[in-house]
Each structure stands twice: as C-alpha cells, then as structure tokens.
C-alpha cells in the first residue's frame, strides 16, 4: 500500500509547536510513544475519523473513552442543538442536572448522592478530599500503573517495595504531597494486607481503577477488589473506585456491577459527558454530605453541570440503556480481540489480548495471563510501534502508545471489524 499523505497534519504540527508546548494540549496526543507526527483531525462520523489530509480511519480511541456511541451520534447532536437554542449556561441550577443525577444514582446504585465536575481529574481529586474529610485521615493508597488524572499527590511512580512511600513522578509536585501516598503493586493481595496491618488506621482511602486501563488493560485478579472492600470495612477507610474510564464502558453499572464489589465512592467522567467535558463523583449519602454547602469539605465549579455537557451526557445515558446494548458491544469487541489473536498467531507474533464490554487491551507478549505492571512493561514495544504505523497506513487509528486501552463503540459494525482484521493481517505480517 502506498504511503498516505499526511502533509497538512505535519504542517499543522510544526505550527502548533510554536505556540503550544509540544504542539499538543494533552501529552497522550503526541506520537512520542510510537514516533512520527501526530495526526490532526477535522471530522468524525460513526466509527470513522477523517484527518486534515482527508484520510479516513476506523477509530479505536473514541476521544479516549467518551464516544461509546461513536462520533456524531444523532441523539447526542440533537440534544446539543436543542440546548443551544436555550442557552449555554446560567450559573444556576437546571432541571436537566436533576435528571442526570437521578439517572446516575439509578444506574450505579452505590452512588446515593452525586456532584458534577468538569473533568475526571477533578472527580478523583474531589473524591479524595471528601474521603479525607470524612475519615479525618491523610494517607491514600494507590496502585502502580493506575492513573487518576494529574492530581498532585497521585502522580507517583512505582514504589520499590510494597510498604515504600512513593517518590514524585512529576516535577512540581512537593514531596510532602506524595509522602501521603502509598503505592502498591496492582493485583498484589498480600501487599495490600500487609500495608493495612501496618498503617490501616492512618489510611483515608484506597483509590483504584477496578479494571486498570492506563497500563494497557489489566483486569483485577479474583479476590483483589474483594480484599479492598474487606480491609476498608475493617479499618473504616473509604474505598474509591475510579471508574472514569470503566464507568458505562465495561457494563451499564460499571466495573462495580461487573465484579459485584461495592465501593463507598465512585469517580466518573468520559462516557457521562457524551464527548463534552464532564466528570462526577458520588457515593454514600453520609460521605457525600461532607461536601459544601452541607459539610465542611469545600468543592466548587463555575462550569460544573454545564447544560450542554449535561444534555450530551443525558442523551448518551439514554442510548446505552437500550436493551442488549452491552451484549452487542461486548460481542463486537470480543470478535475484534479474537480475530486479532488469530492473525497474530498466523504471523508468528507473540500476542495476547484482554476485553471486557467495550474496552480492550493488546499485548505483544508471549505470556498467557497479564495481570501485573511488570508484565505490561515487559511487552515488545518495538513490534507494537511497527504494528501501529502499519495499522495507521491501512486505515486504523489506534492509541499512539503500547500502554493504552482501546475502545470499541456501538457504531463499529461487522464491516468495520472485518476491515480492521484485514488491516491487522497486513500489519502483523509487516511487523514480524
Ligand atoms: C482519563 C482518566 C482520568 C482523568 O480524566 P480527565 O478528564 O482526563 O481529567 C482519571 N482516571 C481514569 C481512570 C482515567 O482513565
């Protein structure tokens, strides 16, 4: 296949770098993990993206998670148009906020009270503040490879030992902040028990991605989430599920419904905004009543509950409640990962894949079960890079990193899956 023309993207990137740090407004958009220039897009329709040179791609990024219905779903567009004709925001309450809050509480029953914010980062940051206020404790437990937005105290790299206090992962984060964070290996039940034995009474909360989606995609091993629940009950710590990615993505009720483990608090984002900037945090009434104006934990937002974002989010939440939505999404995603494994095997490339609902992970690895951070880090990144660029050349847009999860939308039909698998056949052969 001939090289695609990406001249306009390349020119825009050169121009962007003059005014925007690294040319991007979020580092994941740069192609640092795969090499080459990032693409600039001017349109999306269903499962497809169109770049500035008018190349079309089947999209598995989905705006990094929100677009579970695909691009420009008619219900979302219509809801936005209706709201546009009424106004952009009033800085005061609206009926739609009540409707979306009620819907979130219904779909995720562990959430008895919910507050809307404008990003996933704000949601996790606020949830932690509330958990600290509620428990009157400072320490937070997080896991290696989990990302919870760019919250200061959570930008902590892999600790060496289970009980080691974390080192800052980013410049500009005071050590005194990350000193409040314990970092444990994901899926290590024993390390979790040991940490609580030693420090349980100081721990305000555990924050965890119930399916880790920021180190490729790593599901929890049986007992891992259950152990957290048990320890948090015993030590009266707050269990926070960061479902910014997994919420309405792995199942209608999120990972907590899929695994049947109930957290005290949940952070949401991505899908609930329908593609507009939204986040939310919620949980038990008793805990959420700590939040201002009821309680003494301060939290606020000028654009929180933006009528446009709420309209898009509500259209999304209505569409995903249609019977059979997740069964179809799951089947489509499974067809994709099964097909990818077959084609990798045919090309003699060590490869495995995980999938739950509309979320998947691909690993260039000979290991059958990937459940630890070190296994993810040991994957063959060089082969992934080649595969990525061959997929791109053949019209498939994957996240430009070996450590990101992939997303299938309801707009991905059999035809798109087949086209993707045809591209993968070429890409695996070329990458081997
Ligand atoms: C994306 C993500 C966040 C951060 O959300 P932003 O809207 O980018 O601030 C937090 N937690 C998880 C699990 C995420 O995937």
């Amino acid at each position: 296949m001939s090289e695609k023309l990406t001249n306009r993207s390349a020119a825009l990137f050169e121009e962007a770098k003059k005014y925007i740090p690294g040319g991007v407004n979020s580092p994941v958009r740069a192609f640092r993990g795969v090499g080459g220039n990032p693409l600039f897009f001017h349109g999306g329709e269903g499962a497809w993206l169109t770049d500035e040179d008018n190349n079309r791609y089947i999209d598995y990024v989905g705006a990094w998670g929100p677009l579970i219905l695909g691009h420009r779903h008619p219900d979302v567009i219509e809801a936005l148009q209706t709201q546009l004709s009424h106004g952009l925001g009033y800085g005061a309450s609206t009926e739609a906020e009540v409707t979306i809050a009620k819907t979130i509480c219904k779909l995720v029953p562990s959430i008895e009270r919910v507050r809307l914010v404008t990003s996933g980062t704000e949601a996790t940051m606020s949830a932690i503040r509330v958990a600290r206020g509620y428990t009157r404790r400072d320490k937070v437990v997080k896991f290696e490879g989990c990302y919870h937005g760019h919250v200061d105290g959570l930008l902590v790299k892999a600790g060496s030992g289970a009980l080691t206090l974390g080192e800052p992962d980013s410049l500009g984060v005071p050590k005194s902040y990350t000193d409040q964070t314990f970092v444990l290996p994901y899926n290590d039940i024993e390390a979790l028990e040991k940490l609580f034995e030693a420090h349980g009474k100081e721990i305000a909360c555990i924050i965890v991605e119930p399916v880790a989606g920021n180190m490729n995609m790593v599901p929890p091993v049986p007992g891992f989430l259950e152990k957290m629940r048990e320890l948090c009950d015993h030590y009266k710590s707050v269990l926070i599920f960061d479902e910014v990615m997994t919420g309405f993505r792995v199942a209608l009720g999120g990972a907590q419904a899929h695994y049947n483990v109930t957290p005290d608090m949940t952070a949401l984002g991505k899908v609930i905004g329908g593609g507009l900037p939204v986040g939310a945090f919620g949980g038990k009434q008793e805990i959420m009543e700590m939040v201002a104006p009821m309680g003494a934990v301060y939290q606020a937002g000028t654009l929180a509950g933006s009528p446009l974002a709420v309209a898009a989010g509500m259209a999304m939440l209505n569409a995903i409640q249609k019977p059979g939505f997740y069964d179809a999404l799951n089947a489509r995603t499974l067809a994709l990962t099964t097909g990818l494994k077959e084609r990798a095997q045919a090309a003699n490339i060590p490869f495995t894949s995980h999938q739950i609902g509309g979320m998947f992970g691909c690993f260039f690895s000979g290991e059958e079960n990937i459940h630890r951070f070190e296994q993810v880090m040991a994957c063959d990144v060089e082969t992934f890079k080649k595969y990525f660029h061959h997929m791109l050349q053949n019209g498939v847009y994957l996240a430009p990193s070996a450590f990101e999860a992939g997303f299938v939308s309801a707009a991905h039909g059999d035809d798109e899956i087949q086209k993707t698998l045809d591209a993968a056949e070429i890409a695996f052969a070329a990458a081997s």
Side-chain angles (χ1 to χ4, degrees), residues 119-121 147-149 209 214 242 244-245 270:
S119 70
T121 298
Y147 176 66
H148 304 292
E209 288 184 71
N214 286 287
D242 177 355
V244 170
M245 186 184 290
K270 298 186 172 134

Side-chain angles (χ1 to χ4, degrees), residues 26 48 153 212 234 247 283 316 319 332 374 380 402 413 427:
S26 188
W48 294 83
H234 184 82
M316 189 77 104
R332 224 27 88 50
E374 310 86 75
D380 179 358

Side-chain angles (χ1 to χ4, degrees), residues 113 130 284-297:
R113 296 287 185 276
V130 173
K284 282 190 179 150
Q285 179 181 345
E286 188 190 341
I287 300 176
M288 287 302 287
E289 286 182 349
M290 297 297 297
V291 182
M294 285 195 85
V297 177

Side-chain angles (χ1 to χ4, degrees), residues 67-107:
L67 300 184
I68 199 164
L69 301 176
H71 296 270
R72 296 190 75 250
H73 189 278
D75 295 357
V76 176
I77 300 300
E78 192 191 317
L80 282 171
Q81 277 164 344
T82 304
Q83 183 55 43
L84 274 176
S85 66
H86 292 294
L88 300 185
Y90 320 109
S93 298
T94 63
E95 184 176 355
E97 286 172 83
V98 185
T99 311
I100 199 168
K102 195 170 162 183
T103 307
I104 293 169
C105 292
K106 181 187 85 176
L107 296 179

Side-chain angles (χ1 to χ4, degrees), residues 145-395:
C146 285
Y147 176 66
H148 304 292
H150 57 98
V151 180
D152 278 330
L154 299 183
L155 285 176
V156 189
K157 103 170 51 158
S160 43
L163 296 175
T164 328
L165 287 171
E167 287 295 319
D169 204 19
S170 162
L171 283 179
V173 176
K175 176 125 183 2
S176 59
Y177 289 20
T178 51
D179 279 349
Q180 304 301 325
T181 310
F182 290 111
V183 186
L184 295 179
Y186 197 78
N187 277 334
D188 189 337
I189 297 175
E190 208 183 304
L192 191 59
E193 280 180 317
K194 282 204 178 125
L195 177 70
F196 271 82
E197 260 168 43
H199 296 281
K201 294 201 167 96
E202 304 157 50
I203 294 171
C205 60
I206 299 179
I207 184 160
V208 65
E209 288 184 71
V211 175
N214 286 287
M215 50 164 156
N216 205 319
M217 177 193 157
V218 178
V221 294
F224 182 53
L225 299 175
E226 290 81 354
K227 179 57 74 180
M228 286 180 209
R229 182 64 278 168
E230 186 190 312
L231 290 167
C232 283
D233 285 341
H234 184 82
Y235 289 95
K236 306 212 168 353
S237 306
V238 174
L239 179 58
I240 306 172
F241 277 7
D242 177 355
E243 297 229 40
V244 170
M245 186 184 290
T246 54
F248 313 109
R249 169 56 67 181
V250 298
L252 183 57
Q256 53 196 273
H258 185 83
Y259 291 103
N260 197 23
V261 176
T262 308
D264 302 303
M265 298 187 79
T266 302
L268 294 169
K270 298 186 172 134
V271 170
I272 50 161
L276 270 75
V278 183
F281 67 100
K284 282 190 179 150
Q285 179 181 345
E286 188 190 341
I287 300 176
M288 287 302 287
E289 286 182 349
M290 297 297 297
V291 182
M294 285 195 85
V297 177
Y298 195 70
Q299 187 279 327
T302 302
L303 296 174
S306 145
L308 279 177
V310 167
M314 202 53 229
M316 189 77 104
L317 292 183
N318 284 332
I320 63 179
Q321 288 180 68
K322 303 226 163 93
F325 180 89
Y326 285 91
D327 290 341
L329 187 67
N330 189 67
R332 224 27 88 50
T333 312
L334 183 62
L336 173 71
T337 54
T338 308
L340 288 175
K341 279 191 262 192
E342 286 165 5
R343 280 154 186 82
Q345 201 172 17
N348 261 322
I349 292 199
F351 179 91
T352 191
S353 187
H354 291 150
Q355 167 274 327
I356 307 173
M359 182 173 165
F360 67 93
C362 292
F363 304 89
F364 286 81
S365 165
E367 295 191 57
E368 193 58 33
N369 291 308
I370 307 248
H371 48 80
R372 293 289 183 91
F373 181 68
E374 310 86 75
Q375 291 175 293
V376 176
M377 299 314 284
C379 287
D380 179 358
V381 176
E382 289 312 309
T383 306
F384 169 78
K385 286 184 193 172
K386 288 188 220 158
Y387 170 78
F388 170 87
H389 283 289
H390 286 291
M391 289 297 267
L392 201 61
Q393 279 299 319
N394 286 281

